[in-house]
Structure formats: structure tokens, C-alpha cells
Amino acid sequence: MSVPPPPSPPPPAGARDPMTPECRLGPVTPEHRASGPPSQAQPLLRQEAKGEEEEGEETGAGGGRGDWRRLLAWLRRRRPQCCPCAAPLPRSAAHCCHGGTKMAALAYNLGKREINHYFSVRSAKVLALAAVLLLAACHLASRRYRGNDSCEYLLSSGRFLGEKVWQPHSCMMHKYKISEAKNCLVDKHIAFIGDSRIRQLFYSFVKIINPQFKEEGNKHENIPFEDKISSVKVDFLWHPEVNGSMKQCIKVWTEDSVAKPHVIVAGAATWSIKIHNGSNEALSQYKTNITSIAPLLEKLARTSDVYWVLQDPVYEDLLSENRKMITNEKIDAYNEAAVSILNSSTRNSKSNVKMFSVSKLIAQETIMESLDGLHLPETSRETSAMILMNVCCNKVLKPVDGSCCQPQPPLTLIQKLAACFFTLSIIGYLIFYIIHRNVHRKNKPCTDLESGEEKKNIINTPVSSLEILLQSFCKLGLIMAYFYMCDRANLFMKENKFYTHSTFFIPIIYILVLGVFYNENTKETKVLNREQTDEWKGWMQLVILIYHISGASTFLPVYMHIRVLVAAYLFQTGYGHFSYFWIKGDFGIHRVCQVLFRLNFLVVVLCIVMDRPYQFYYFVPLVTVWFMVIYVTLALWPQIIQKKANGNCFWHFGLLLKLAFLLLCICFLAYSQGAFEKIFSLWPLSKCFELKGNVYEWWFRWRLDRYVVFHGMLFAFIYLALQKRQVLSEGKGEPLFSNKISNVLLFISVVSFLTYSIWASSCKNKAECNELHPSVSVVQILAFILIRNIPGYARSVYSSFFAWFGKISLELFICQYHIWLAADTRGILVLIPGNPTLNIIVSTFIFVCVAHEISQITNDLAQIIIPKDNSSLLKRLACIAAFFCGLLILSSIQDKLRH
């Protein structure tokens, strides 16, 4: 995966560039200032000193072509001087004494600043928007030209991922379990008609329903199957040739008095080739027979699903002597005849009889593994049977990871109201923008005819809260439209994940190299300083993203290490919030509302737009609940903070009692599932924490990392106590402890880190690992913290690349569900089909830009919706409570309509 490096942030106002204007143009003495460029170059120098984003009245925006010409002409007129300040140039050039070197140095720096000016986060987002519009237009045109039926793609095209995983074109195929297949096919009758190849498909299809069903008995006769529990009936009817016998069997079903099968799968040709020794007369007779059967199949297709299976190729080298006449050339001729006749059997533009041609593509890749050259290997026919199951059942069960043959879900009442709200926001912002622009034009600076100078008759007014609000919801509405197009509308394509070691570890190595390359000095050298925690969040989030898109959850060692990364996020939650409350003592409602808003705003919007329960985005409910646990633990009487505890050590003991009580509550809820479920099954908590009708998933997620937040709080308490007593040496370049203690702790940390990795890699199953994970995950987390912070040089630097992603880690984690992955993380979004590498690059670029923009929108709205004034805040909270009450009522109405 390719992740674009983060753009450098613009310099703060008033900050000088590391290379000053004097250094760019050589040493400027008072004589030079007097005799230098009086009016040509000085405005440019002034503009550079202010920063590249300020527009100078003399030079225009960013320096025009005229400024460059005047500057170059002035440099040519200047007396040659040495240029020791041209640091970027080679040493030999630095000692030269001609104006060309100065021009090169100036061009280098100005060019670099011009690139940074035009290629910024803002320009990247504009490029991402243009890419989305272009791709949406291309996919829409493709859908109109090629059709919008994903069933056709499933039946006719695809490719192998690895050796056994089949990937249909543009959609995802669900792997059906026994219970799902029976549930879908209840009271259904499926009939297979044809030769031995159709019999193979019949057996593979039946084994999805009943794996114990054996292939035995006379092969050249009808074979029945029935599951009495689910009332599923599947029959194989032996008709190896397309002749009068097959026609009579099909004709019986066309009569009104006879029960018709719900699904009919037919096909035959190889017996005709074999019996008639591949003669042309046999092909002519085949065309005649299939022409007479075509109207009957078309009539059945009006009430049943009818599939004609095209003939698979053969492996001619393995064919026995009595089958040598069955050549791939003959098979292609028979397939062409079947397709042309069945597709033209109706006056309509499209035949109702569907061509099952995908098995031919599968056979082309696997027929070499055949035992006799004619019949497919078992894995290939299982794939064909699973495709048939997807065709029959996806529209009935609607699995999340089976997008083939699924219609677009209808809009719910809440989604329609959300669409109206965002539409009104966009219209309101456009009206506001037009009015604001007209006012700006009226107040445009005018020219004084007497002096020839411009006079400004208006002062820049601050941006109003209404404008920020409308602009934020306008942007958010466009972004949510993109979310919906990606993962709810059938506009963009989706594909299944396929794990290989290279798809996971190669991107990991790539981002590691980038992260090491972009390193800078930290502003402070304390343990877990802000830059370091942002870096930690950033690289963890990137690893988790790669883990999700590569499907690495199937590889147990990787799964266990990713579990530690999720635990590390929660550890930071305990550490960060405890530190804030302990040091600041700010238990006000404003702080609580700010945190809750920033955590939950995007998730609430996605729950509305994407029609998903709150618990679906499990990490945000997890962090939210743990934040409230930390707040309640420290805010309840007696409130113990660092300032109070410094005056009396007794308060430290009181805080430890609070933490001990918290640990006791955690243990009780962890081992009392009934009590936990009773608490979160109460209305309205149940509306937030239920998933698929119960809160078991929430209990499982909470229990999996139940101790790590407590560990984070305890670590923060111990660290701040040691820091207050000046036990730690946190100066720049200094080891955290004395050399001897530091070396011992580093050795223990490295051994502990490796020991945990060895244990995680040797786990036998997920259930066993998950049982021990809550107690032992803190070992690797603490080991990493000590390794990262004990050496002074390691604590003094950080990766700006990882830190940039760390600042938007929450948005990245949530947005990946729908606009990077697809089908609610089960698949991969495909914006550019046929080129997986380019698709990942483009989708990742858009995904990161969207996450960054949502982060800014959330910050802007937090300042408006959560004011610092308590009276205003209480009014806003009342409005938010009314909003959620209305949402609950609408959700209840929506659930009743569904049932």
C-alpha cells in the first residue's frame, strides 16, 4: 500500500524561513542596501520575509513573472561576491564568486516554497474531489453502457485470487454455511438436467446443504435429494444429450397443472460429440434440438430461474482413447451455438434464460488438475456450486459480504430526513456565499484618482458562526454522499479480501521506512509527550489499516499483535484522561461534552446516513464508555487531584482505594455476563449497545480489553508521582534513569517484548489467546513504552510522518469502514477495476483527504455546538437531547415498518 507523505504545515505567522533573505542574496551590507535594487527586488524580499501566503501589493500573489525578471536583471548588474550562505549547493559552488550561484540558490529556495504553496493539504483535497467526480462519472457511464446487473458479472466473469479463491468481476461472493443455505432454500425445488458434468455440479451444490451426502449409486440415472427439516428438494435428471427426451422432460414443467422447479440448471454437449465422433451433422442436429427446446426454457424462465451451463474445456492430453474426439474446438462450436440460439429465442431485447458461463473460466485455470481430462477437480466444481448458491440466495438473505445479485437497499425514513437536511445545508451555504460575495464586491478597494493609490473602505470582518456552521454541514453533506455511493449505492465496485504474507508485510516495511525518513526533534522530552503519542497512534493506525485491507485476521500471529495495538489505544485513553483530570482538576461539563462530541460526532452521522447501529462502530462506544468510567471514578467525592495530594500523602492512598474499587467492579462485570447484559439491555442503552438483537457482541468487545484502561490510569499515576519527586531525568539526550538501571530495564523490556511475540505466535486458536490477552497485553505495551523512552536520544526525536496520521487516527479508523474498505469492512472498495495497485493508491489518497477534512469539520463544529458558557451549553444540551429523543422515536417507527 502506498501512503502519501504528509505535506509540511505552513510556517506560523511572522516566522522566518531557515534561510533568511540576506542569506539568499549574499551578505547585504549598508552600501548594498543603499545601492541595491531600490524598487525592483526589495518588495520581493519583503514578501518572502512575511511568508509565501501573503500577497504583496507591489509584486502580486506569490511573486509574478515581472518580479523574477527584475530580480535576475539586478543580480546580473551586481558586483560578483562570494556566497557562503548558499548551503544547499555543493562546496565547490559555495566558494565561487559569481552571481550565477546566488541565482541558483535563490531559485532553489523560491521554487521549493512555490511547490509548498501550491501543493498543500487544501490542494490535495481539491484533487481528491476532482478524482471522485471523474471516477463517479466513469462508473455511471460504464453502468449505463454495460448494465447494472451484478448477477451477469457473477455468472460470466471473474478471476482467481491465489489458487482456490474466486473473485467475480465488480462484486463480492459470500461463502454460504449449512444453516444459511437451508434457510435460503426452505420449501424450494431445484432441478439439475444434463450429463456427468451437471451431475458433478449437483453433488457439489447438495454438499453445501448436507456435507455428508455421498456420491454413490448408478451414475447414469436420476438422483434425488431431500432435506425434510428445511423442505429442500434437489433432483438430478440424467439427460446427457439435447434431444427429444430432454425436451419432453422440460415440456412437462410448462404445463399449468404440474409443479415447476424454482431453479432449473441444464446443459449437455460432450455426449453428442462423443457418440457421433465429432461430426458436423451432430452439431447441426444439436442446433436443431436446442432451437426446439429454447421456447420451452423461455416460458419456464418467466416463473422460475433457468440457467444454461456452457461446456467447460477439456485437457486433451489426459483424455482416454474413446474421448479423443472431444476437443476444445468442438466444445467452443457447441457453446457458440447454444449462446446464439438461446439469446435470440425471444423477441425481447434480452433473454430470460441466463448463461452460466463462469464455470468455463474456472475450468480454464484448473482443468490441468483433472484426473481424466474431462471432469473438473473437486475444488473447481465447489466454486461453481457456491456461485450458483450466491445467485439463488443473495437476494433472499442479503449477506453483507455478498454484494453480487443484491439490489440497492431502499432509503429508510431517517436516511431521507438526513438527505433533506444536508441538501438544505448546501443550498443555505450557497445562498450565504453568494450574498457574502456580492457584499464583498461592493466594498472592493477603490482607486483615488488624485493620488493614484488604492484606498480600502472596509475592514476584514471575522467569520460568523453561522457561516462556519453552514460551510461545515455543506462539506459534510458532500462527504456523506460519497460514503453512501461507496458502500450503499451500486455505483462503485467491491471485491473480496485475500490474504497473503506479502500483501501484509511489504506495506508494513514500506511505511516503516517512510516513518523513519521523516523524523524531527521533539518540542519536549517528557515520557509520552504529545508528539510521541501522536506518532504512536499514527503508526498503529496505519498497521491496523493494512491489517484490515489485507484480510490478515485469518493469520493468528498477526491477529494477536493487532489486538495489542487496539489495547494500546485504550491504554492511551486511560493514561491521557487520567493525567488531564489529575493535573488540571477540570471536572466541568464543558470538558466532558467536548470529548464526547469529538469522539461520537462522526459515528452518529454515519449511523444515520449508513443505517447502522451505534455498536457497529465498536471502538468508539468502547472509548466513550471508558472515558465516562474514568471521569466518574475521579469526579465522585472525594475529588482527589495532584494539587490536593501534594499537600497530604494521605490523598494518594485515597486515590489508590478508588482505583482498587474500579478494578473490583471490572472483575465483577467481566465474570458476570448476566449482570453486564442486564445493565446494557435497559432502554435507551439497549438502542446504543445492541447488535443483531442482543448485547453479547458489546460484552465480548468490552471484556477483551477490560484491564488495559485501568493499567493506563495506574501507569499515569505512578509516572506523575515519580516525575513530581524528580526521580526521572527527562532532559534532552539524558537516559530516563541512571545508566545501570536504564540498561537493566531496557534488557527486561526487550526480553518481555519478544517473549510476548513468541507466545502470540504459538497460540493454537483465537479463543485460547483471547482468554489470556486481557491480562498479558499490558506486558508488551509497557515494554514498548520503556524501550521508546528510556534512551534520551530516542525520546528526543519523533516521526512527523506517523504523527500526522496520528492526529486523524480516529477519523481514519471510522472512515475505513465504508470508503476504503467496502461492505462494512468485509471487502475492498474498487474505484479503478483491473489494476489493484493503482486502485489502492487512488482510494487511499481520497480516503486520507476525507478523514483529514472530517477531522477539521469536527473541530470547527465542536467550537460552535459546545460553547464555554455554561448557560448556553445547557441550552445546547437540551436541544441535543431532544434530537436524540426524536431519533429514537423515528428508529422505533422504522423498526416497526421493517417488521
Side-chain angles (χ1 to χ4, degrees):
M1 183 189 69
S2 176
V3 181
S8 302
R16 282 185 176 269
D17 191 81
M19 182 167 289
T20 61
E22 289 83 4
C23 189
R24 292 190 183 95
L25 297 175
V28 183
T29 62
E31 291 81 9
H32 295 149
R33 294 183 188 276
S35 61
S39 60
Q40 293 88 353
Q42 289 297 335
L44 182 60
L45 296 179
R46 288 198 299 270
Q47 186 185 2
E48 289 175 4
K50 293 179 182 178
E52 75 275 13
E53 294 187 8
E54 183 176 346
E55 294 184 0
E57 293 182 6
E58 298 89 348
T59 59
R65 294 182 179 178
D67 299 318
W68 278 92
R69 295 193 187 100
R70 288 194 293 270
L71 178 61
L72 292 175
W74 171 69
L75 287 172
R76 292 192 189 100
R77 291 197 303 270
R78 288 191 64 196
R79 185 174 58 189
Q81 300 178 45
C82 291
C83 43
C85 293
L89 299 176
R91 182 177 299 177
S92 58
H95 289 284
C96 68
C97 294
H98 57 81
T101 304
K102 298 184 186 71
M103 288 191 292
L106 181 62
Y108 172 84
N109 288 282
L110 290 180
K112 182 178 178 182
R113 296 179 65 156
E114 285 293 311
I115 291 173
N116 289 337
H117 175 68
Y118 288 107
F119 188 76
S120 59
V121 175
R122 180 183 178 87
S123 58
K125 291 174 183 177
V126 173
L127 183 61
L129 176 61
V132 169
L133 295 176
L134 179 62
L135 290 169
C138 291
H139 279 267
L140 186 62
S142 176
R143 294 278 181 180
R144 288 183 176 274
Y145 176 73
R146 299 182 61 180
N148 198 29
D149 188 3
S150 59
C151 275
E152 289 189 5
Y153 295 137
L154 177 62
L155 292 170
S156 62
S157 58
R159 70 184 191 278
F160 270 107
L161 301 176
E163 296 181 357
K164 300 179 181 179
V165 179
W166 181 255
Q167 173 58 60
H169 175 70
S170 83
C171 62
M172 297 169 60
M173 193 170 75
H174 177 66
K175 187 174 182 180
Y176 277 88
K177 300 176 182 178
I178 299 172
S179 58
E180 294 174 322
K182 289 182 177 180
N183 187 30
C184 164
L185 300 175
V186 62
D187 297 327
K188 291 289 195 303
H189 178 203
I190 299 98
F192 289 81
I193 312 170
D195 54 15
S196 58
R197 288 179 161 186
I198 300 297
R199 184 179 64 239
Q200 275 190 313
L201 184 60
F202 159 78
Y203 276 122
S204 297
F205 187 85
V206 169
K207 284 183 179 180
I208 300 176
I209 306 169
N210 182 9
Q212 282 74 40
F213 190 72
K214 296 181 180 180
E215 302 181 24
E216 55 187 11
N218 191 350
K219 296 183 178 180
H220 295 174
E221 64 180 16
N222 298 342
I223 304 173
F225 168 80
E226 185 175 3
D227 187 283
K228 295 182 179 180
I229 298 175
S230 56
S231 300
V232 179
K233 185 179 180 183
V234 186
D235 291 328
F236 169 70
L237 306 177
W238 173 252
H239 291 283
E241 289 188 86
V242 180
N243 53 20
S245 176
M246 179 182 284
K247 179 180 179 181
Q248 183 61 32
C249 176
I250 296 172
K251 187 176 182 181
V252 171
W253 288 330
T254 60
E255 298 175 3
D256 297 334
S257 58
V258 179
K260 303 174 181 61
H262 298 90
V263 180
I264 301 170
V265 182
T270 55
W271 270 68
S272 298
I273 300 173
K274 176 184 174 181
I275 292 174
H276 301 284
N277 201 27
S279 64
N280 292 330
E281 291 78 7
L283 178 60
S284 300
Q285 186 62 43
Y286 179 84
K287 292 179 180 179
T288 302
N289 292 339
I290 203 169
T291 301
S292 64
I293 290 177
L296 301 176
L297 293 175
E298 192 66 35
K299 185 176 181 181
L300 282 174
R302 298 170 188 170
T303 56
S304 305
D305 294 328
V306 180
Y307 304 95
W308 186 266
V309 181
L310 297 184
Q311 294 300 301
D312 303 328
V314 296
Y315 192 52
E316 297 179 11
D317 295 341
L318 287 179
L319 291 174
S320 59
E321 288 299 325
N322 61 340
R323 292 174 176 169
K324 286 293 185 181
M325 70 290 297
I326 306 176
T327 63
N328 288 322
E329 183 180 356
K330 291 291 182 183
I331 286 176
D332 290 340
Y334 276 72
N335 283 337
E336 288 176 8
V339 170
S340 61
I341 293 170
L342 292 175
N343 282 341
S344 61
S345 62
T346 177
R347 295 180 180 179
N348 299 328
S349 59
K350 190 175 181 181
S351 173
N352 291 323
V353 179
K354 302 177 180 66
M355 293 291 123
F356 195 87
S357 58
V358 68
S359 62
K360 184 175 66 172
L361 297 179
I362 296 171
Q364 288 173 356
E365 300 291 333
T366 61
I367 193 63
M368 290 77 71
E369 302 172 14
S370 172
L371 297 177
D372 57 5
L374 178 67
H375 298 98
L376 292 179
E378 188 173 359
T379 55
S380 301
R381 68 192 220 200
E382 286 174 355
T383 302
S384 297
M386 192 60 70
I387 291 172
L388 186 59
M389 187 67 73
N390 274 258
V391 172
C392 297
C393 295
N394 281 4
K395 55 190 174 185
V396 178
L397 297 185
K398 298 179 181 178
V400 175
D401 60 340
S403 62
C404 299
C405 297
Q406 274 204 53
Q408 181 176 334
L411 287 172
T412 64
L413 177 62
I414 295 177
Q415 286 176 312
K416 291 177 182 178
L417 293 175
C420 293
F421 171 78
F422 284 123
T423 303
L424 292 175
S425 298
I426 294 172
I427 295 172
Y429 176 70
L430 291 176
I431 294 172
F432 190 94
Y433 176 78
I434 293 170
I435 294 173
H436 182 75
R437 189 175 181 183
N438 290 334
V439 173
H440 180 71
R441 282 182 176 179
K442 292 179 181 179
N443 296 289
K444 191 176 180 181
C446 57
T447 303
D448 191 341
L449 297 177
E450 295 182 0
S451 62
E453 297 179 352
E454 288 186 346
K455 291 185 177 180
K456 295 183 179 179
N457 54 7
I458 188 172
I459 299 174
N460 289 330
T461 57
V463 181
S464 66
S465 297
L466 178 60
E467 183 178 358
I468 295 174
L469 201 66
L470 288 174
Q471 185 184 47
S472 297
F473 281 120
C474 175
K475 292 179 180 178
L476 190 63
L478 296 175
I479 291 172
M480 288 301 110
Y482 178 63
F483 271 78
Y484 189 85
M485 286 192 301
C486 288
D487 211 20
R488 291 296 176 268
N490 292 328
L491 179 61
F492 296 124
M493 302 175 180
K494 305 178 177 98
E495 287 187 355
N496 294 91
K497 300 176 185 178
F498 177 68
Y499 174 75
T500 61
H501 292 318
S502 60
T503 57
F504 177 75
F505 289 104
I506 290 177
I508 293 292
I509 295 171
Y510 180 65
I511 65 165
L512 178 64
V513 172
L514 283 175
V516 172
F517 182 76
Y518 288 94
N519 65 84
E520 297 180 14
N521 293 327
T522 57
K523 295 178 182 178
E524 55 179 341
T525 56
K526 295 181 179 180
V527 173
L528 293 179
N529 56 67
R530 183 59 182 268
E531 288 95 344
Q532 190 181 128
T533 53
D534 284 340
E535 173 201 88
W536 193 8
K537 291 177 183 177
W539 70 257
M540 287 195 303
Q541 185 56 60
L542 292 177
V543 171
I544 290 173
L545 291 176
I546 296 171
Y547 164 82
H548 281 156
I549 201 167
S550 63
S553 60
T554 57
F555 187 46
L556 191 55
V558 172
Y559 167 81
M560 287 308 302
H561 284 85
I562 295 299
R563 289 296 339 147
V564 175
L565 298 189
V566 175
Y569 269 104
L570 295 173
F571 181 92
Q572 287 194 52
T573 297
Y575 172 84
H577 291 305
F578 177 90
S579 300
Y580 179 86
F581 291 126
W582 177 250
I583 296 172
K584 300 285 186 180
D586 180 11
F587 297 100
I589 191 173
H590 177 263
R591 164 72 181 178
V592 176
C593 292
Q594 279 274 339
V595 173
L596 293 179
F597 182 85
R598 291 174 188 274
L599 286 175
N600 292 276
F601 172 71
L602 175 58
V603 165
V604 170
V605 174
L606 286 179
C607 289
I608 294 171
V609 174
M610 306 303 289
D611 189 30
R612 282 296 175 262
Y614 179 65
Q615 180 54 34
F616 176 74
Y617 306 93
Y618 75 94
F619 185 74
V620 171
L622 201 59
V623 176
T624 301
V625 168
W626 277 117
F627 167 74
M628 293 306 300
V629 168
I630 297 168
Y631 174 79
V632 170
T633 301
L634 299 178
L636 284 178
W637 183 90
Q639 288 185 2
I640 305 172
I641 61 175
Q642 189 181 57
K643 187 176 180 181
K644 182 187 290 188
N646 289 337
N648 190 341
C649 292
F650 172 78
W651 291 114
H652 286 94
F653 179 72
L655 180 63
L656 290 174
L657 285 178
K658 276 191 169 187
L659 294 179
F661 180 74
L662 173 61
L663 180 61
L664 187 64
C665 293
I666 292 171
C667 293
F668 171 74
L669 292 176
Y671 293 101
S672 179
Q673 182 180 352
F676 186 95
E677 292 185 349
K678 283 181 181 179
I679 294 172
F680 289 96
S681 295
L682 297 173
W683 194 90
L685 289 178
S686 59
K687 297 296 292 183
C688 296
F689 296 100
E690 278 186 356
L691 192 64
K692 299 178 181 178
N694 58 68
V695 296
Y696 172 79
E697 181 73 15
W698 166 234
W699 178 78
F700 171 77
R701 294 287 187 181
W702 176 87
R703 190 173 183 270
L704 202 56
D705 295 299
R706 56 187 179 272
Y707 299 129
V708 73
V709 175
F710 171 81
H711 290 146
M713 297 171 66
L714 187 61
F715 176 82
F717 173 72
I718 296 172
Y719 163 66
L720 293 173
L722 294 176
Q723 186 186 59
K724 192 67 179 178
R725 284 158 180 75
Q726 299 181 349
V727 176
L728 307 175
S729 301
E730 295 182 303
K732 189 171 184 180
E734 297 179 359
L736 200 60
F737 304 97
S738 64
N739 290 332
K740 186 176 181 180
I741 296 176
S742 296
N743 292 334
V744 170
L745 287 176
L746 274 176
F747 176 77
I748 295 173
S749 299
V750 171
V751 171
S752 301
F753 193 92
L754 295 177
T755 301
Y756 180 89
S757 294
I758 293 170
W759 170 80
S761 301
S762 61
C763 275
K764 296 180 180 179
N765 55 71
K766 284 186 179 181
E768 177 187 323
C769 294
N770 286 337
E771 191 64 32
L772 292 174
H773 168 77
S775 303
V776 298
S777 61
V778 71
V779 173
Q780 198 164 40
I781 295 171
L782 292 177
F784 171 78
I785 293 173
L786 293 177
I787 294 170
R788 182 69 178 83
N789 287 276
I790 286 178
Y793 59 85
R795 202 173 59 252
S796 302
V797 296
Y798 78 104
S799 171
S800 58
F801 176 80
F802 290 142
W804 190 86
F805 285 99
K807 293 175 182 176
I808 57 171
S809 59
L810 181 66
E811 288 76 15
L812 288 171
F813 187 88
I814 300 168
C815 290
Q816 67 167 325
Y817 277 71
H818 305 295
I819 63 169
W820 196 53
L821 303 174
D824 298 338
T825 73
R826 302 308 201 284
I828 300 172
L829 178 67
V830 179
L831 299 178
I832 302 177
N835 194 329
T837 303
L838 182 60
N839 176 68
I840 289 294
I841 293 172
V842 173
S843 64
T844 301
F845 175 72
I846 297 171
F847 161 57
V848 173
C849 290
V850 168
H852 189 273
E853 184 63 32
I854 289 177
S855 177
Q856 291 186 335
I857 290 172
T858 305
N859 290 334
D860 291 340
L861 291 177
Q863 303 301 323
I864 299 173
I865 297 177
I866 312 296
K868 293 184 178 180
D869 180 57
N870 283 337
S871 60
S872 301
L873 179 58
L874 290 174
K875 293 178 182 177
R876 301 282 172 84
L877 290 178
C879 295
I880 293 173
F883 167 77
F884 279 108
C885 288
L887 198 61
L888 287 172
I889 294 171
L890 289 174
S891 179
S892 300
I893 296 173
Q894 192 169 279
D895 291 340
K896 289 181 180 179
L897 291 175
R898 283 175 176 172
H899 293 306

